[in-house]
């Protein structure tokens, strides 16, 4: 045996620990036979060198740049029932702690303002309209908790109670009795796009992250992607892909220069390909993450033959994407 082969074995032993080594745990010993270490690098280099020298050898994969374009949440998420009840309990607790502070700090005894305050307390049984009828000086003052699912814990109910209180105060103090004061309500969390299920609108699911899907000319849904051209980096290819597919009428921001995930596709070979030994190259898509700041997707001038687009939440993507495609990209998407 030559000294060169002995040296190679010594190098390989350094790169790959022995299976019978007492310092290696049992689980690692079972997987050592399946691991691929850098000791195979010389074989890879010789293969790549022969590929570069032989122009007849075609690449096994076409490298593509993909873009995971997302619109971040615009509002806070919905509260859980327990969170609503606990928040309401804190409001009532604050009411109890604030009551010992004398009201005569605000109103002089016997004045009209003091009498008006006493009248409102009798009507409401509390100083705050949004926490329901509750009297901290009553015999039931200990019962300041709220049953799970009670309407008083719903933010919409609390907002309506506060708005009605403000309107009654404004109308009572207004000098123009012919006109009723109206306090503007906050915008609802459920938009018209939600009611119509308009999946092209960015005004739907405001508390969720939406992702841009495009439909190819063959009818397949995917993230925007295209092959990397000569001289391009993955980042430049992703920026070009987004402009060519969804248009330039969007203000977007790429999170980084490195991919967050990838998907490999190997086309099926037909009988004709097997007979002629022609093997079509596969496709590897490396996805870069990008954020949507303003604007909207526009496919009217796209150069990739795309037919349609949708803005979808994570759980909605599975209805349109290929099973293997979705399995490879789902873990790089935000749950909310």
């Amino acid at each position: 045996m030559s000294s060169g082969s002995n040296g190679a074995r010594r190098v390989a032993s350094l790169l790959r620990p022995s299976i019978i080594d007492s310092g290696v745990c049992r689980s690692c010993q079972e997987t050592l036979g399946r691991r691929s270490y850098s000791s195979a690098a010389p074989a890879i280099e010789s293969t790549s060198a022969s590929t570069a020298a032989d122009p007849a050898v075609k690449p096994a994969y076409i490298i593509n740049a993909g873009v995971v374009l997302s619109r971040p949440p615009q509002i806070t998420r919905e509260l859980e029932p327990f969170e609503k009840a606990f928040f309401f309990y804190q409001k009532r607790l604050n009411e109890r702690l604030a009551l010992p502070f004398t009201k005569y700090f605000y109103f002089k005894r016997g004045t009209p303002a003091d009498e008006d305050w006493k009248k409102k307390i009798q009507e409401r049984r509390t100083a705050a309209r949004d926490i329901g009828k509750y009297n901290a000086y009553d015999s039931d003052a200990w019962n300041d908790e709220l049953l799970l699912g009670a309407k008083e814990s719903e933010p919409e109910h609390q907002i309506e109670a506060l708005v009605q209180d403000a309107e009654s105060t404004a109308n009572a103090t207004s000098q123009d009795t012919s006109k009723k004061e109206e306090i503007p309500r906050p915008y609802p969390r459920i938009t018209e796009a939600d009611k119509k299920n308009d999946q092209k609108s960015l005004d739907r699911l405001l508390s969720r992250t939406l992702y841009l899907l495009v439909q190819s000319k063959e009818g397949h849904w995917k993230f925007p992607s295209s092959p990397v051209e000569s001289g391009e980096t993955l980042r430049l290819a992703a920026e070009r892909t987004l402009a060519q597919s969804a248009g330039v009428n969007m203000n977007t921001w790429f999170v980084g220069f490195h991919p967050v995930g990838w998907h490999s596709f190997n086309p099926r070979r037909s009988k004709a390909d097997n007979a002629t030994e022609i093997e079509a190259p596969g496709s590897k898509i490396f996805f870069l993450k990008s954020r949507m700041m303003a604007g909207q997707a526009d496919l009217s001038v796209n150069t990739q033959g795309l037919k349609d687009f949708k803005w979808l939440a994570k759980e909605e993507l599975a209805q349109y994407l290929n099973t293997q495609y979705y399995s490879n990209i789902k873990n790089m998407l935000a749950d909310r």
Side-chain angles (χ1 to χ4, degrees):
M1 184 177 295
S2 63
S3 59
S5 60
N6 292 332
R9 285 191 175 184
R10 285 195 296 271
V11 173
S13 64
L14 293 175
L15 295 173
R16 184 172 186 173
S18 174
I19 296 178
I20 61 175
D21 190 349
S22 60
V24 180
C25 65
R26 177 175 298 178
S27 61
C28 293
Q29 291 177 7
E30 294 175 353
T31 58
L32 278 174
R34 299 194 298 270
R35 295 182 181 177
S36 56
Y37 288 85
S38 58
S39 58
I44 297 175
E45 291 177 0
S46 61
T47 304
S48 60
S50 61
T51 302
D54 188 359
V57 178
K58 296 183 178 180
Y61 289 95
I62 297 176
I63 304 301
N64 292 262
V67 182
V68 181
L69 179 63
S70 61
R71 187 223 66 186
Q74 305 296 298
I75 58 178
T76 56
R77 66 171 177 83
E78 291 280 356
L79 296 178
E80 298 293 335
F82 176 78
E83 293 175 317
K84 295 177 183 178
F86 183 78
F87 179 68
F88 190 86
Y89 166 74
Q90 292 293 326
K91 292 168 72 85
R92 280 189 170 174
L93 182 60
N94 181 71
E95 178 82 358
R96 292 184 65 179
L97 295 176
L99 278 176
F101 191 79
T102 175
K103 64 178 180 294
Y104 298 120
F105 179 84
Y106 301 99
F107 310 108
K108 187 176 180 180
R109 189 189 301 270
T111 60
D114 180 37
E115 296 299 325
D116 182 63
W117 175 262
K118 292 178 181 178
K119 182 180 178 181
K120 288 183 177 179
I121 288 293
Q122 291 177 355
E123 293 176 354
R124 304 179 182 180
R125 297 183 63 205
T126 182
R129 175 65 64 88
D130 59 323
I131 66 172
K133 292 184 177 181
Y134 167 75
N135 189 354
Y137 291 136
D138 200 352
S139 58
D140 294 332
W142 59 270
N143 188 18
D144 52 6
E145 297 183 2
L146 195 67
L147 295 177
L148 197 65
K151 67 176 183 179
E152 289 85 0
S153 66
E154 296 297 328
E156 293 78 10
H157 178 82
Q158 297 172 12
I159 291 173
E160 188 63 26
L162 291 174
V163 170
Q164 290 180 2
D165 183 34
E167 287 180 344
S168 62
T169 302
N171 291 322
T173 58
S174 176
Q175 297 180 354
D176 186 4
T177 57
S178 61
K179 183 179 179 181
K180 183 180 179 180
E181 294 287 342
E182 292 186 1
I183 304 298
R185 265 72 172 173
Y187 286 106
R189 298 177 66 93
I190 305 300
T191 64
E192 290 296 326
D194 289 319
K195 297 176 182 178
K196 298 177 181 179
N197 195 25
D198 184 5
Q199 295 182 336
K200 290 187 178 182
S201 175
L202 285 164
D203 294 331
R204 64 186 294 264
L205 298 179
L206 296 180
S207 62
R208 300 293 307 281
T209 299
L210 297 182
Y211 298 94
L212 176 66
L213 280 192
V214 294
Q215 188 180 32
S216 65
K217 56 184 177 182
E218 294 83 10
H220 303 299
W221 289 95
K222 62 173 185 174
F223 289 135
S225 62
S226 67
V228 177
E229 297 179 355
S230 177
E232 278 188 330
T233 62
L234 201 59
R235 167 67 176 264
L236 292 177
E239 293 176 350
R240 174 186 53 78
T241 297
L242 188 58
Q244 291 179 350
S245 58
V248 296
N249 296 325
M250 294 189 299
N251 183 8
T252 60
W253 171 66
F254 277 83
V255 177
F257 290 84
H258 303 285
V260 294
W262 65 283
H263 169 67
S264 178
F265 171 73
N266 294 312
R268 294 182 179 178
R269 296 185 61 184
S270 63
K271 293 182 179 179
D273 293 338
N274 291 332
T276 57
E277 297 183 355
I278 298 176
E279 184 175 355
S283 176
K284 286 190 177 182
I285 309 173
F286 294 89
F287 297 100
L288 275 78
K289 184 180 292 187
S290 181
R291 287 286 193 177
M292 175 75 170
M293 299 302 174
Q296 176 59 291
D298 181 16
L299 303 187
S300 60
V301 293
N302 84 90
T303 60
Q304 299 182 6
L306 303 177
K307 300 192 300 183
D308 201 0
F309 73 93
K310 293 179 182 293
W311 290 98
L312 303 175
K314 180 179 180 179
E315 65 274 8
E316 296 175 326
L317 297 176
Q319 305 174 18
Y320 297 91
L321 295 177
N322 175 273
T323 303
Q324 187 61 37
Y325 189 98
Y326 179 73
S327 176
N328 289 338
I329 60 94
K330 65 180 181 180
N331 290 333
M332 60 185 180
L333 307 179
D335 290 331
R336 190 179 90 83

